[in-house]
Amino acid sequence: MVRSRKPQASNQLTAEIRYTRFFVAGSRRHTTMGDQVPKSPPAPPSHGEQFTEVVVVRHGETSWNASCIIQGQMDPELNETGRHQALLVARRLSREARPAAVYSSDLRRASETAYIIATACGVSNLVFDPALRERHMGDLHGLVYDEANRRNPEIFSSDGRTKEIPGGGESLDQLSQRCVSYLNTIAEKHKGERVIVVTHGASTEELCLHADQTSPVRGKLHNTSICLFRIGDGEWILEKAGDVAHLRKGGFLEDTFGGDGASA
């Protein structure tokens, strides 16, 4: 535990997911799930009322992940493997304390993962926000990772945190500020509660590194991996990083493309 102070789907899957209402409100999308949602209140986290327990989940696999193509803020959907991964992580989370809300990037690979999780956990409060999107990769969008790395090796280096990507792309510092600020907002809103956040590889890495600058997560966060944070009063505690226990029995860990901003 590390402390840091301020510084298409299978038939089974289709049967399990049912959406009944969807609307857009400003830049955020809110979804109300069907009448299968349980009425019991969510269980609070164990670290006191000043902390929010934030479970951060990377989205499931896409065909671009499988081909090592840089997605960034491009919008491919989950592939069959990714949907099955999402179902596995959803089943795992459904056996834990019910979250007060599920927040997600509005990109399809994340939003579909979030739908599956919210349904399995019986959560009606599902919010999509572009603040949780992956790093904008500028001119590198659509390139195979090795080619992009040959062209701009400094883009993927932790030593080049202020380097913006040509073509309107973000620096690592800009990505970190965006994602950390949004999680602080969520934590302030949900003090004493548990929430789930579905986002992307590089975004999750930056959250881990904000909590622990020595965290060895770069390029090691597999699709649907779980990171657990407790956030409150300016303090970030990283309790777990890159947990993929739910994938081990499914054979999903061979040749998995990790989350380093390239796979997004």
Side-chain angles (χ1 to χ4, degrees):
M1 182 172 68
V2 180
R3 297 176 181 266
S4 172
R5 294 192 176 270
K6 301 176 183 178
Q8 295 310 349
S10 65
N11 291 336
Q12 181 182 18
L13 181 59
T14 303
E16 292 194 20
I17 303 172
R18 184 155 54 98
Y19 320 126
T20 60
R21 199 170 125 219
F22 180 84
F23 62 93
V24 177
S27 64
R28 299 180 182 179
R29 291 182 290 164
H30 301 260
T31 300
T32 300
M33 316 304 276
D35 57 5
Q36 78 275 24
V37 176
K39 301 301 183 182
S40 58
S46 59
H47 273 224
E49 293 298 321
Q50 77 275 25
F51 282 96
T52 303
E53 184 177 82
V54 183
V55 181
V56 176
V57 181
R58 187 185 175 205
H59 63 79
E61 184 186 271
T62 70
S63 60
W64 290 36
N65 286 138
S67 300
C68 300
I69 297 174
I70 293 176
Q71 296 174 111
Q73 295 193 7
M74 304 295 281
D75 202 19
E77 63 184 3
L78 296 180
N79 60 17
E80 187 68 21
T81 295
R83 293 187 181 99
H84 193 59
Q85 291 170 336
L87 181 57
L88 290 174
V89 73
R91 285 174 174 165
R92 174 182 175 177
L93 293 171
S94 72
R95 298 184 182 108
E96 300 177 1
R98 188 162 69 91
V102 176
Y103 291 84
S104 175
S105 160
D106 61 346
L107 296 177
R108 284 188 295 177
R109 57 195 185 273
S111 63
E112 186 176 356
T113 303
Y115 270 125
I116 295 169
I117 291 171
T119 302
C121 293
V123 174
S124 60
N125 187 9
L126 177 55
V127 180
F128 299 90
D129 199 296
L132 290 169
R133 286 185 180 185
E134 182 55 284
R135 183 183 185 185
H136 194 298
M137 299 301 289
D139 291 342
L140 302 184
H141 281 122
L143 296 180
V144 175
Y145 173 74
D146 288 344
E147 173 61 23
N149 195 37
R150 281 194 294 270
R151 291 189 190 184
N152 299 92
E154 71 280 0
I155 296 301
F156 304 102
S157 170
S158 58
D159 295 330
R161 294 196 56 84
T162 62
K163 177 72 173 179
E164 295 181 19
I165 303 174
E170 291 176 293
S171 69
L172 287 173
D173 280 352
Q174 288 171 333
L175 172 65
S176 178
Q177 182 178 11
R178 168 165 60 83
C179 295
V180 168
S181 175
Y182 193 74
L183 249 67
N184 279 330
T185 299
I186 292 173
E188 181 65 25
K189 181 177 180 179
H190 292 282
K191 284 185 177 181
E193 296 180 321
R194 171 182 171 96
V195 296
I196 294 173
V197 172
V198 182
T199 184
H200 304 264
S203 303
T204 306
E205 287 177 358
E206 288 303 311
L207 296 172
C208 291
L209 291 169
H210 177 76
D212 173 19
Q213 294 182 0
T214 67
S215 180
V217 295
R218 191 70 72 188
K220 297 180 180 179
L221 297 176
H222 298 296
N223 292 107
T224 70
S225 61
I226 292 173
C227 297
L228 177 62
F229 300 84
R230 298 192 191 275
I231 304 173
D233 296 333
E235 184 176 9
W236 282 53
I237 304 170
L238 176 59
E239 294 200 340
K240 182 187 300 183
D243 186 341
V244 288
H246 51 283
L247 298 181
R248 296 194 185 282
K249 292 183 180 180
F252 291 107
L253 296 182
E254 295 84 5
D255 301 321
T256 303
F257 189 28
D260 51 10
S263 62

PDB file of all heavy atoms in Angstrom, residues 208-241:
ATOM      1  N   CYS A 208      -2.047   5.820 -11.311  1.00  0.00           N
ATOM      2  CA  CYS A 208      -1.163   5.047 -10.423  1.00  0.00           C
ATOM      3  C   CYS A 208       0.099   5.828 -10.088  1.00  0.00           C
ATOM      4  O   CYS A 208       0.544   5.851  -8.932  1.00  0.00           O
ATOM      5  CB  CYS A 208      -0.800   3.714 -11.073  1.00  0.00           C
ATOM      6  SG  CYS A 208      -2.159   2.533 -11.211  1.00  0.00           S
ATOM      7  N   LEU A 209       0.674   6.476 -11.085  1.00  0.00           N
ATOM      8  CA  LEU A 209       1.909   7.220 -10.858  1.00  0.00           C
ATOM      9  C   LEU A 209       1.670   8.474 -10.022  1.00  0.00           C
ATOM     10  O   LEU A 209       2.577   8.944  -9.325  1.00  0.00           O
ATOM     11  CB  LEU A 209       2.547   7.581 -12.196  1.00  0.00           C
ATOM     12  CG  LEU A 209       3.100   6.389 -12.976  1.00  0.00           C
ATOM     13  CD1 LEU A 209       3.463   6.797 -14.411  1.00  0.00           C
ATOM     14  CD2 LEU A 209       4.316   5.798 -12.272  1.00  0.00           C
ATOM     15  N   HIS A 210       0.466   9.018 -10.071  1.00  0.00           N
ATOM     16  CA  HIS A 210       0.149  10.146  -9.195  1.00  0.00           C
ATOM     17  C   HIS A 210       0.159   9.708  -7.738  1.00  0.00           C
ATOM     18  O   HIS A 210       0.637  10.432  -6.866  1.00  0.00           O
ATOM     19  CB  HIS A 210      -1.223  10.720  -9.553  1.00  0.00           C
ATOM     20  CG  HIS A 210      -1.654  11.842  -8.659  1.00  0.00           C
ATOM     21  ND1 HIS A 210      -1.137  13.114  -8.757  1.00  0.00           N
ATOM     22  CD2 HIS A 210      -2.549  11.874  -7.623  1.00  0.00           C
ATOM     23  CE1 HIS A 210      -1.694  13.891  -7.831  1.00  0.00           C
ATOM     24  NE2 HIS A 210      -2.548  13.161  -7.134  1.00  0.00           N
ATOM     25  N   ALA A 211      -0.364   8.501  -7.492  1.00  0.00           N
ATOM     26  CA  ALA A 211      -0.382   7.977  -6.125  1.00  0.00           C
ATOM     27  C   ALA A 211       0.993   7.491  -5.690  1.00  0.00           C
ATOM     28  O   ALA A 211       1.357   7.598  -4.512  1.00  0.00           O
ATOM     29  CB  ALA A 211      -1.395   6.836  -6.017  1.00  0.00           C
ATOM     30  N   ASP A 212       1.754   6.937  -6.615  1.00  0.00           N
ATOM     31  CA  ASP A 212       3.064   6.360  -6.304  1.00  0.00           C
ATOM     32  C   ASP A 212       3.976   6.519  -7.514  1.00  0.00           C
ATOM     33  O   ASP A 212       3.850   5.798  -8.506  1.00  0.00           O
ATOM     34  CB  ASP A 212       2.918   4.878  -5.938  1.00  0.00           C
ATOM     35  CG  ASP A 212       4.266   4.186  -5.774  1.00  0.00           C
ATOM     36  OD1 ASP A 212       5.279   4.884  -5.576  1.00  0.00           O
ATOM     37  OD2 ASP A 212       4.285   2.942  -5.844  1.00  0.00           O
ATOM     38  N   GLN A 213       4.910   7.455  -7.433  1.00  0.00           N
ATOM     39  CA  GLN A 213       5.783   7.745  -8.569  1.00  0.00           C
ATOM     40  C   GLN A 213       6.705   6.587  -8.914  1.00  0.00           C
ATOM     41  O   GLN A 213       7.291   6.552  -9.998  1.00  0.00           O
ATOM     42  CB  GLN A 213       6.604   9.005  -8.285  1.00  0.00           C
ATOM     43  CG  GLN A 213       5.766  10.262  -8.193  1.00  0.00           C
ATOM     44  CD  GLN A 213       6.598  11.506  -7.952  1.00  0.00           C
ATOM     45  OE1 GLN A 213       7.822  11.447  -7.843  1.00  0.00           O
ATOM     46  NE2 GLN A 213       5.930  12.652  -7.867  1.00  0.00           N
ATOM     47  N   THR A 214       6.855   5.627  -8.021  1.00  0.00           N
ATOM     48  CA  THR A 214       7.719   4.473  -8.280  1.00  0.00           C
ATOM     49  C   THR A 214       6.928   3.251  -8.754  1.00  0.00           C
ATOM     50  O   THR A 214       7.497   2.175  -8.943  1.00  0.00           O
ATOM     51  CB  THR A 214       8.518   4.085  -7.025  1.00  0.00           C
ATOM     52  OG1 THR A 214       7.609   3.591  -6.008  1.00  0.00           O
ATOM     53  CG2 THR A 214       9.276   5.277  -6.465  1.00  0.00           C
ATOM     54  N   SER A 215       5.634   3.404  -8.931  1.00  0.00           N
ATOM     55  CA  SER A 215       4.800   2.263  -9.311  1.00  0.00           C
ATOM     56  C   SER A 215       5.229   1.709 -10.674  1.00  0.00           C
ATOM     57  O   SER A 215       5.283   2.446 -11.656  1.00  0.00           O
ATOM     58  CB  SER A 215       3.331   2.693  -9.372  1.00  0.00           C
ATOM     59  OG  SER A 215       2.510   1.612  -9.726  1.00  0.00           O
ATOM     60  N   PRO A 216       5.527   0.397 -10.754  1.00  0.00           N
ATOM     61  CA  PRO A 216       6.028  -0.201 -12.011  1.00  0.00           C
ATOM     62  C   PRO A 216       4.895  -0.627 -12.948  1.00  0.00           C
ATOM     63  O   PRO A 216       4.819  -1.779 -13.373  1.00  0.00           O
ATOM     64  CB  PRO A 216       6.810  -1.404 -11.497  1.00  0.00           C
ATOM     65  CG  PRO A 216       6.048  -1.846 -10.297  1.00  0.00           C
ATOM     66  CD  PRO A 216       5.509  -0.578  -9.656  1.00  0.00           C
ATOM     67  N   VAL A 217       4.012   0.299 -13.287  1.00  0.00           N
ATOM     68  CA  VAL A 217       2.823  -0.059 -14.058  1.00  0.00           C
ATOM     69  C   VAL A 217       2.963   0.205 -15.549  1.00  0.00           C
ATOM     70  O   VAL A 217       2.137  -0.268 -16.331  1.00  0.00           O
ATOM     71  CB  VAL A 217       1.581   0.700 -13.539  1.00  0.00           C
ATOM     72  CG1 VAL A 217       1.247   0.283 -12.120  1.00  0.00           C
ATOM     73  CG2 VAL A 217       1.786   2.212 -13.624  1.00  0.00           C
ATOM     74  N   ARG A 218       3.992   0.933 -15.951  1.00  0.00           N
ATOM     75  CA  ARG A 218       4.081   1.354 -17.342  1.00  0.00           C
ATOM     76  C   ARG A 218       4.088   0.157 -18.283  1.00  0.00           C
ATOM     77  O   ARG A 218       4.964  -0.691 -18.242  1.00  0.00           O
ATOM     78  CB  ARG A 218       5.348   2.198 -17.546  1.00  0.00           C
ATOM     79  CG  ARG A 218       5.416   2.904 -18.877  1.00  0.00           C
ATOM     80  CD  ARG A 218       4.403   4.030 -18.983  1.00  0.00           C
ATOM     81  NE  ARG A 218       4.719   5.189 -18.170  1.00  0.00           N
ATOM     82  CZ  ARG A 218       3.897   6.218 -17.998  1.00  0.00           C
ATOM     83  NH1 ARG A 218       2.693   6.205 -18.559  1.00  0.00           N
ATOM     84  NH2 ARG A 218       4.247   7.236 -17.252  1.00  0.00           N
ATOM     85  N   GLY A 219       3.077   0.065 -19.148  1.00  0.00           N
ATOM     86  CA  GLY A 219       2.984  -1.018 -20.108  1.00  0.00           C
ATOM     87  C   GLY A 219       2.577  -2.350 -19.528  1.00  0.00           C
ATOM     88  O   GLY A 219       2.669  -3.373 -20.210  1.00  0.00           O
ATOM     89  N   LYS A 220       2.101  -2.376 -18.277  1.00  0.00           N
ATOM     90  CA  LYS A 220       1.791  -3.645 -17.620  1.00  0.00           C
ATOM     91  C   LYS A 220       0.337  -3.788 -17.190  1.00  0.00           C
ATOM     92  O   LYS A 220       0.004  -4.702 -16.448  1.00  0.00           O
ATOM     93  CB  LYS A 220       2.704  -3.823 -16.398  1.00  0.00           C
ATOM     94  CG  LYS A 220       4.181  -3.910 -16.757  1.00  0.00           C
ATOM     95  CD  LYS A 220       5.044  -4.078 -15.520  1.00  0.00           C
ATOM     96  CE  LYS A 220       6.514  -4.154 -15.892  1.00  0.00           C
ATOM     97  NZ  LYS A 220       7.372  -4.297 -14.690  1.00  0.00           N
ATOM     98  N   LEU A 221      -0.506  -2.896 -17.636  1.00  0.00           N
ATOM     99  CA  LEU A 221      -1.915  -2.946 -17.251  1.00  0.00           C
ATOM    100  C   LEU A 221      -2.715  -3.601 -18.370  1.00  0.00           C
ATOM    101  O   LEU A 221      -3.043  -2.978 -19.368  1.00  0.00           O
ATOM    102  CB  LEU A 221      -2.440  -1.538 -16.954  1.00  0.00           C
ATOM    103  CG  LEU A 221      -1.768  -0.823 -15.789  1.00  0.00           C
ATOM    104  CD1 LEU A 221      -2.310   0.603 -15.657  1.00  0.00           C
ATOM    105  CD2 LEU A 221      -1.959  -1.583 -14.491  1.00  0.00           C
ATOM    106  N   HIS A 222      -3.040  -4.867 -18.192  1.00  0.00           N
ATOM    107  CA  HIS A 222      -3.762  -5.619 -19.203  1.00  0.00           C
ATOM    108  C   HIS A 222      -5.212  -5.146 -19.303  1.00  0.00           C
ATOM    109  O   HIS A 222      -5.741  -4.496 -18.405  1.00  0.00           O
ATOM    110  CB  HIS A 222      -3.736  -7.111 -18.870  1.00  0.00           C
ATOM    111  CG  HIS A 222      -2.367  -7.702 -18.848  1.00  0.00           C
ATOM    112  ND1 HIS A 222      -1.574  -7.774 -19.969  1.00  0.00           N
ATOM    113  CD2 HIS A 222      -1.639  -8.250 -17.841  1.00  0.00           C
ATOM    114  CE1 HIS A 222      -0.422  -8.346 -19.662  1.00  0.00           C
ATOM    115  NE2 HIS A 222      -0.437  -8.635 -18.370  1.00  0.00           N
ATOM    116  N   ASN A 223      -5.860  -5.503 -20.384  1.00  0.00           N
ATOM    117  CA  ASN A 223      -7.278  -5.173 -20.547  1.00  0.00           C
ATOM    118  C   ASN A 223      -8.102  -5.762 -19.414  1.00  0.00           C
ATOM    119  O   ASN A 223      -7.955  -6.921 -19.055  1.00  0.00           O
ATOM    120  CB  ASN A 223      -7.797  -5.696 -21.883  1.00  0.00           C
ATOM    121  CG  ASN A 223      -7.188  -4.974 -23.063  1.00  0.00           C
ATOM    122  OD1 ASN A 223      -6.351  -5.515 -23.767  1.00  0.00           O
ATOM    123  ND2 ASN A 223      -7.596  -3.736 -23.275  1.00  0.00           N
ATOM    124  N   THR A 224      -8.971  -4.958 -18.845  1.00  0.00           N
ATOM    125  CA  THR A 224      -9.846  -5.210 -17.680  1.00  0.00           C
ATOM    126  C   THR A 224      -9.072  -5.433 -16.387  1.00  0.00           C
ATOM    127  O   THR A 224      -9.629  -5.963 -15.425  1.00  0.00           O
ATOM    128  CB  THR A 224     -10.865  -6.363 -17.903  1.00  0.00           C
ATOM    129  OG1 THR A 224     -10.205  -7.624 -17.960  1.00  0.00           O
ATOM    130  CG2 THR A 224     -11.699  -6.121 -19.143  1.00  0.00           C
ATOM    131  N   SER A 225      -7.815  -5.022 -16.334  1.00  0.00           N
ATOM    132  CA  SER A 225      -7.095  -5.062 -15.055  1.00  0.00           C
ATOM    133  C   SER A 225      -7.712  -4.060 -14.091  1.00  0.00           C
ATOM    134  O   SER A 225      -8.313  -3.061 -14.495  1.00  0.00           O
ATOM    135  CB  SER A 225      -5.608  -4.761 -15.247  1.00  0.00           C
ATOM    136  OG  SER A 225      -5.423  -3.467 -15.781  1.00  0.00           O
ATOM    137  N   ILE A 226      -7.549  -4.358 -12.794  1.00  0.00           N
ATOM    138  CA  ILE A 226      -8.146  -3.548 -11.729  1.00  0.00           C
ATOM    139  C   ILE A 226      -7.057  -2.863 -10.916  1.00  0.00           C
ATOM    140  O   ILE A 226      -6.067  -3.494 -10.535  1.00  0.00           O
ATOM    141  CB  ILE A 226      -8.993  -4.438 -10.792  1.00  0.00           C
ATOM    142  CG1 ILE A 226     -10.226  -4.962 -11.533  1.00  0.00           C
ATOM    143  CG2 ILE A 226      -9.417  -3.674  -9.536  1.00  0.00           C
ATOM    144  CD1 ILE A 226     -11.021  -5.977 -10.733  1.00  0.00           C
ATOM    145  N   CYS A 227      -7.246  -1.579 -10.662  1.00  0.00           N
ATOM    146  CA  CYS A 227      -6.405  -0.830  -9.730  1.00  0.00           C
ATOM    147  C   CYS A 227      -7.329  -0.245  -8.657  1.00  0.00           C
ATOM    148  O   CYS A 227      -8.415   0.269  -8.975  1.00  0.00           O
ATOM    149  CB  CYS A 227      -5.648   0.290 -10.430  1.00  0.00           C
ATOM    150  SG  CYS A 227      -4.485  -0.281 -11.698  1.00  0.00           S
ATOM    151  N   LEU A 228      -6.902  -0.318  -7.414  1.00  0.00           N
ATOM    152  CA  LEU A 228      -7.744   0.126  -6.298  1.00  0.00           C
ATOM    153  C   LEU A 228      -7.092   1.306  -5.579  1.00  0.00           C
ATOM    154  O   LEU A 228      -5.950   1.210  -5.135  1.00  0.00           O
ATOM    155  CB  LEU A 228      -7.958  -1.028  -5.310  1.00  0.00           C
ATOM    156  CG  LEU A 228      -8.770  -0.701  -4.057  1.00  0.00           C
ATOM    157  CD1 LEU A 228     -10.184  -0.273  -4.433  1.00  0.00           C
ATOM    158  CD2 LEU A 228      -8.801  -1.913  -3.121  1.00  0.00           C
ATOM    159  N   PHE A 229      -7.840   2.390  -5.490  1.00  0.00           N
ATOM    160  CA  PHE A 229      -7.382   3.609  -4.824  1.00  0.00           C
ATOM    161  C   PHE A 229      -8.333   3.950  -3.675  1.00  0.00           C
ATOM    162  O   PHE A 229      -9.522   3.651  -3.731  1.00  0.00           O
ATOM    163  CB  PHE A 229      -7.388   4.806  -5.789  1.00  0.00           C
ATOM    164  CG  PHE A 229      -6.518   4.661  -6.992  1.00  0.00           C
ATOM    165  CD1 PHE A 229      -6.986   3.987  -8.117  1.00  0.00           C
ATOM    166  CD2 PHE A 229      -5.243   5.201  -7.033  1.00  0.00           C
ATOM    167  CE1 PHE A 229      -6.197   3.854  -9.253  1.00  0.00           C
ATOM    168  CE2 PHE A 229      -4.447   5.083  -8.158  1.00  0.00           C
ATOM    169  CZ  PHE A 229      -4.929   4.403  -9.269  1.00  0.00           C
ATOM    170  N   ARG A 230      -7.777   4.607  -2.655  1.00  0.00           N
ATOM    171  CA  ARG A 230      -8.593   5.301  -1.662  1.00  0.00           C
ATOM    172  C   ARG A 230      -8.138   6.752  -1.689  1.00  0.00           C
ATOM    173  O   ARG A 230      -6.957   7.049  -1.560  1.00  0.00           O
ATOM    174  CB  ARG A 230      -8.434   4.666  -0.283  1.00  0.00           C
ATOM    175  CG  ARG A 230      -8.905   3.226  -0.262  1.00  0.00           C
ATOM    176  CD  ARG A 230      -9.025   2.661   1.134  1.00  0.00           C
ATOM    177  NE  ARG A 230      -9.220   1.229   1.102  1.00  0.00           N
ATOM    178  CZ  ARG A 230     -10.389   0.620   0.949  1.00  0.00           C
ATOM    179  NH1 ARG A 230     -11.474   1.350   0.830  1.00  0.00           N
ATOM    180  NH2 ARG A 230     -10.471  -0.694   0.914  1.00  0.00           N
ATOM    181  N   ILE A 231      -9.116   7.641  -1.883  1.00  0.00           N
ATOM    182  CA  ILE A 231      -8.822   9.052  -2.106  1.00  0.00           C
ATOM    183  C   ILE A 231      -9.633   9.887  -1.142  1.00  0.00           C
ATOM    184  O   ILE A 231     -10.854   9.705  -1.015  1.00  0.00           O
ATOM    185  CB  ILE A 231      -9.156   9.464  -3.553  1.00  0.00           C
ATOM    186  CG1 ILE A 231      -8.405   8.571  -4.556  1.00  0.00           C
ATOM    187  CG2 ILE A 231      -8.820  10.934  -3.783  1.00  0.00           C
ATOM    188  CD1 ILE A 231      -8.812   8.805  -5.996  1.00  0.00           C
ATOM    189  N   GLY A 232      -8.952  10.825  -0.461  1.00  0.00           N
ATOM    190  CA  GLY A 232      -9.666  11.711   0.444  1.00  0.00           C
ATOM    191  C   GLY A 232      -8.771  12.757   1.055  1.00  0.00           C
ATOM    192  O   GLY A 232      -7.607  12.482   1.372  1.00  0.00           O
ATOM    193  N   ASP A 233      -9.287  13.977   1.185  1.00  0.00           N
ATOM    194  CA  ASP A 233      -8.558  15.078   1.824  1.00  0.00           C
ATOM    195  C   ASP A 233      -7.164  15.270   1.224  1.00  0.00           C
ATOM    196  O   ASP A 233      -6.188  15.505   1.938  1.00  0.00           O
ATOM    197  CB  ASP A 233      -8.456  14.837   3.334  1.00  0.00           C
ATOM    198  CG  ASP A 233      -9.814  14.850   4.012  1.00  0.00           C
ATOM    199  OD1 ASP A 233     -10.727  15.516   3.495  1.00  0.00           O
ATOM    200  OD2 ASP A 233      -9.968  14.180   5.055  1.00  0.00           O
ATOM    201  N   GLY A 234      -7.067  15.155  -0.097  1.00  0.00           N
ATOM    202  CA  GLY A 234      -5.799  15.372  -0.774  1.00  0.00           C
ATOM    203  C   GLY A 234      -4.845  14.205  -0.731  1.00  0.00           C
ATOM    204  O   GLY A 234      -3.738  14.299  -1.263  1.00  0.00           O
ATOM    205  N   GLU A 235      -5.255  13.118  -0.131  1.00  0.00           N
ATOM    206  CA  GLU A 235      -4.392  11.946  -0.007  1.00  0.00           C
ATOM    207  C   GLU A 235      -4.858  10.842  -0.956  1.00  0.00           C
ATOM    208  O   GLU A 235      -6.043  10.544  -1.027  1.00  0.00           O
ATOM    209  CB  GLU A 235      -4.405  11.431   1.433  1.00  0.00           C
ATOM    210  CG  GLU A 235      -3.455  10.254   1.663  1.00  0.00           C
ATOM    211  CD  GLU A 235      -3.406   9.825   3.119  1.00  0.00           C
ATOM    212  OE1 GLU A 235      -4.233  10.321   3.911  1.00  0.00           O
ATOM    213  OE2 GLU A 235      -2.558   8.985   3.451  1.00  0.00           O
ATOM    214  N   TRP A 236      -3.907  10.271  -1.675  1.00  0.00           N
ATOM    215  CA  TRP A 236      -4.174   9.155  -2.569  1.00  0.00           C
ATOM    216  C   TRP A 236      -3.449   7.922  -2.054  1.00  0.00           C
ATOM    217  O   TRP A 236      -2.227   7.962  -1.819  1.00  0.00           O
ATOM    218  CB  TRP A 236      -3.672   9.458  -3.982  1.00  0.00           C
ATOM    219  CG  TRP A 236      -4.556  10.362  -4.789  1.00  0.00           C
ATOM    220  CD1 TRP A 236      -5.030  11.596  -4.430  1.00  0.00           C
ATOM    221  CD2 TRP A 236      -5.049  10.104  -6.110  1.00  0.00           C
ATOM    222  NE1 TRP A 236      -5.785  12.123  -5.429  1.00  0.00           N
ATOM    223  CE2 TRP A 236      -5.815  11.237  -6.482  1.00  0.00           C
ATOM    224  CE3 TRP A 236      -4.906   9.048  -7.001  1.00  0.00           C
ATOM    225  CZ2 TRP A 236      -6.436  11.330  -7.723  1.00  0.00           C
ATOM    226  CZ3 TRP A 236      -5.526   9.133  -8.242  1.00  0.00           C
ATOM    227  CH2 TRP A 236      -6.284  10.264  -8.598  1.00  0.00           C
ATOM    228  N   ILE A 237      -4.174   6.824  -1.872  1.00  0.00           N
ATOM    229  CA  ILE A 237      -3.586   5.560  -1.439  1.00  0.00           C
ATOM    230  C   ILE A 237      -3.810   4.530  -2.542  1.00  0.00           C
ATOM    231  O   ILE A 237      -4.949   4.245  -2.902  1.00  0.00           O
ATOM    232  CB  ILE A 237      -4.228   5.056  -0.131  1.00  0.00           C
ATOM    233  CG1 ILE A 237      -4.112   6.112   0.973  1.00  0.00           C
ATOM    234  CG2 ILE A 237      -3.593   3.747   0.313  1.00  0.00           C
ATOM    235  CD1 ILE A 237      -4.927   5.789   2.214  1.00  0.00           C
ATOM    236  N   LEU A 238      -2.731   4.018  -3.097  1.00  0.00           N
ATOM    237  CA  LEU A 238      -2.816   2.968  -4.112  1.00  0.00           C
ATOM    238  C   LEU A 238      -2.670   1.621  -3.415  1.00  0.00           C
ATOM    239  O   LEU A 238      -1.595   1.270  -2.945  1.00  0.00           O
ATOM    240  CB  LEU A 238      -1.715   3.148  -5.159  1.00  0.00           C
ATOM    241  CG  LEU A 238      -1.608   2.065  -6.249  1.00  0.00           C
ATOM    242  CD1 LEU A 238      -2.915   1.967  -7.042  1.00  0.00           C
ATOM    243  CD2 LEU A 238      -0.429   2.361  -7.171  1.00  0.00           C
ATOM    244  N   GLU A 239      -3.763   0.880  -3.332  1.00  0.00           N
ATOM    245  CA  GLU A 239      -3.759  -0.382  -2.608  1.00  0.00           C
ATOM    246  C   GLU A 239      -3.525  -1.581  -3.511  1.00  0.00           C
ATOM    247  O   GLU A 239      -3.080  -2.636  -3.050  1.00  0.00           O
ATOM    248  CB  GLU A 239      -5.070  -0.563  -1.846  1.00  0.00           C
ATOM    249  CG  GLU A 239      -5.260   0.450  -0.728  1.00  0.00           C
ATOM    250  CD  GLU A 239      -6.279  -0.002   0.305  1.00  0.00           C
ATOM    251  OE1 GLU A 239      -7.090  -0.892  -0.024  1.00  0.00           O
ATOM    252  OE2 GLU A 239      -6.245   0.516   1.429  1.00  0.00           O
ATOM    253  N   LYS A 240      -3.828  -1.437  -4.788  1.00  0.00           N
ATOM    254  CA  LYS A 240      -3.724  -2.578  -5.703  1.00  0.00           C
ATOM    255  C   LYS A 240      -3.519  -2.033  -7.108  1.00  0.00           C
ATOM    256  O   LYS A 240      -4.133  -1.038  -7.482  1.00  0.00           O
ATOM    257  CB  LYS A 240      -5.008  -3.400  -5.633  1.00  0.00           C
ATOM    258  CG  LYS A 240      -5.053  -4.646  -6.488  1.00  0.00           C
ATOM    259  CD  LYS A 240      -6.446  -5.277  -6.455  1.00  0.00           C
ATOM    260  CE  LYS A 240      -6.845  -5.681  -5.047  1.00  0.00           C
ATOM    261  NZ  LYS A 240      -8.176  -6.350  -5.029  1.00  0.00           N
ATOM    262  N   ALA A 241      -2.666  -2.675  -7.913  1.00  0.00           N
ATOM    263  CA  ALA A 241      -2.443  -2.228  -9.285  1.00  0.00           C
ATOM    264  C   ALA A 241      -2.309  -3.427 -10.213  1.00  0.00           C
ATOM    265  O   ALA A 241      -1.579  -4.375  -9.927  1.00  0.00           O
ATOM    266  CB  ALA A 241      -1.194  -1.361  -9.372  1.00  0.00           C
TER     267      ALA A 241
END
